[in-house]
Amino acid sequence: MLLLSIKIQLRFCGQSSLLSSRMDNNQTIPNPIKAVRAIRKSTDTNTKRKARAKPNPVYQQEEEIRPTTSISSNIPILSRDFYQIDALDLAPRLLGKHLKKDDVVLQITEVEAYRPNDSACHARFGITARTAPVFGPGGHAYVYLCYGLHTMLNVVADKEGVGAAVLIRSCAPVSGLETIQKRRGLKSEKPVLLAGPGKVGQALGITTEWSNHHLFAPGGLELLDGPEPENILVGPRVGIEYATAEHVTALWRFAIAGSPWISAPKNTLRPP
């Protein structure tokens, strides 16, 4: 029942009494995407993109893949074109969407955008064995290990050669709770189960071998459609103190307003 309640609250954000009580002081945002574009304009005025990197041949044999409907669900898989946009635009659009692998389905509740010319983005190192996937075409997974322990799932954004991605920071469970708990080694239904990027990777049971995996066709790890949240929160990204001041303070972290399934720190998030 708790899981069903959480799912309902996320799908009807702003309509339940629980979310309303959490959001009494938040501004209603009729169009979150416009708000994000305003943020990008304010931080992007004097920024120019780097020259595009050379295409990675690993992606050039996938032209016949077509988006379809998930085999075990009536929820459509997001098409390849969905990802062919700036990471700062893609990030808020991923909120409310679903990740599926095996019997586990998660709803995305918190993300961070990483862009070209971004001193916090792995693309700043150029194309290496580790970072090559982030330079691929949008719609693929980029998976890396943080501190050699935590598996971090990113969704590659934009055109091939750009070098941009969106980190999945937190999710809410939709199905497969027992599998999630087993993989996490934690018998809980509370947000601690999935509030954090390493926890999401562990719950999905992925490793770095899932880098380059396409998310827009059935099989393995899929990214499915979901409802757009009525209200979002924005804030600076987490754990990037090494970046330049401009990028440390950039409001490129996004979360569903009122959701308990958000990682710390929460006090840096606010309405746009």
Side-chain angles (χ1 to χ4, degrees):
M1 294 300 292
L2 173 60
L3 182 59
L4 180 59
S5 173
I6 292 169
K7 181 179 176 183
I8 292 173
Q9 291 168 23
L10 285 169
R11 289 180 177 275
F12 300 96
C13 182
Q15 296 182 15
S16 70
S17 59
L18 173 60
L19 293 188
S20 296
S21 65
R22 289 179 178 270
M23 296 165 53
D24 286 341
N25 297 322
N26 287 350
Q27 175 184 352
T28 298
I29 306 166
N31 193 329
I33 304 305
K34 287 185 177 179
V36 173
R37 287 175 179 166
I39 294 170
R40 179 177 62 179
K41 185 176 180 181
S42 67
T43 58
D44 231 15
T45 304
N46 299 315
T47 302
K48 294 182 179 180
R49 287 196 168 178
K50 294 180 180 177
R52 295 178 182 265
K54 294 181 180 180
N56 190 329
V58 71
Y59 304 101
Q60 295 179 357
Q61 298 179 354
E62 297 178 357
E63 294 303 319
E64 296 185 0
I65 295 174
R66 295 290 182 268
T68 181
T69 299
S70 177
I71 295 173
S72 60
S73 171
N74 292 323
I75 304 175
I77 296 178
L78 296 171
S79 71
R80 186 199 303 247
D81 292 340
F82 177 84
Y83 308 95
Q84 306 297 311
I85 56 176
D86 191 295
L88 195 56
D89 289 326
L90 178 62
R93 294 185 186 186
L94 287 173
L95 294 175
K97 301 301 186 284
H98 298 90
L99 287 163
K100 178 184 179 297
K101 181 177 175 288
D102 306 319
D103 64 326
V104 171
V105 178
L106 308 179
Q107 188 167 47
I108 300 171
T109 55
E110 181 188 0
V111 296
E112 290 178 345
Y114 289 86
R115 308 173 70 204
N117 295 331
D118 178 357
S119 58
C121 181
H122 286 184
R124 72 187 187 277
F125 299 118
I127 298 179
T128 67
R130 180 197 192 200
T131 67
V134 82
F135 287 95
H140 288 76
Y142 169 47
V143 185
Y144 66 91
L145 278 180
C146 182
Y147 303 120
L149 297 172
H150 308 296
T151 305
M152 315 287 267
L153 172 62
N154 298 258
V155 177
V156 177
D158 222 316
K159 304 297 188 293
E160 184 170 359
V162 171
V166 177
L167 172 66
I168 307 301
R169 280 203 63 84
S170 297
C171 291
V174 175
S175 66
L177 181 60
E178 290 186 5
T179 301
I180 295 169
Q181 292 172 334
K182 182 178 180 180
R183 287 172 174 169
R184 288 278 294 112
L186 181 64
K187 192 74 172 180
S188 175
E189 297 182 12
K190 296 181 179 180
V192 67
L193 191 65
L194 289 166
K199 298 173 183 178
V200 172
Q202 190 176 25
L204 289 169
I206 59 174
T207 67
T208 54
E209 294 181 357
W210 286 87
S211 266
N212 296 335
H213 179 81
H214 50 262
L215 303 170
F216 46 80
L221 182 62
E222 305 169 0
L223 221 165
L224 313 179
D225 203 0
E228 180 182 320
E230 292 184 4
N231 298 275
I232 66 171
L233 301 173
V234 301
R237 294 170 294 180
V238 181
I240 59 165
E241 292 77 11
Y242 55 84
T244 63
E246 173 190 5
H247 294 136
V248 167
T249 58
L251 304 180
W252 294 353
R253 178 187 177 199
F254 305 90
I256 297 179
S259 172
W261 299 85
I262 298 174
S263 65
K266 297 182 180 181
N267 60 359
T268 60
L269 293 166
R270 61 172 179 78

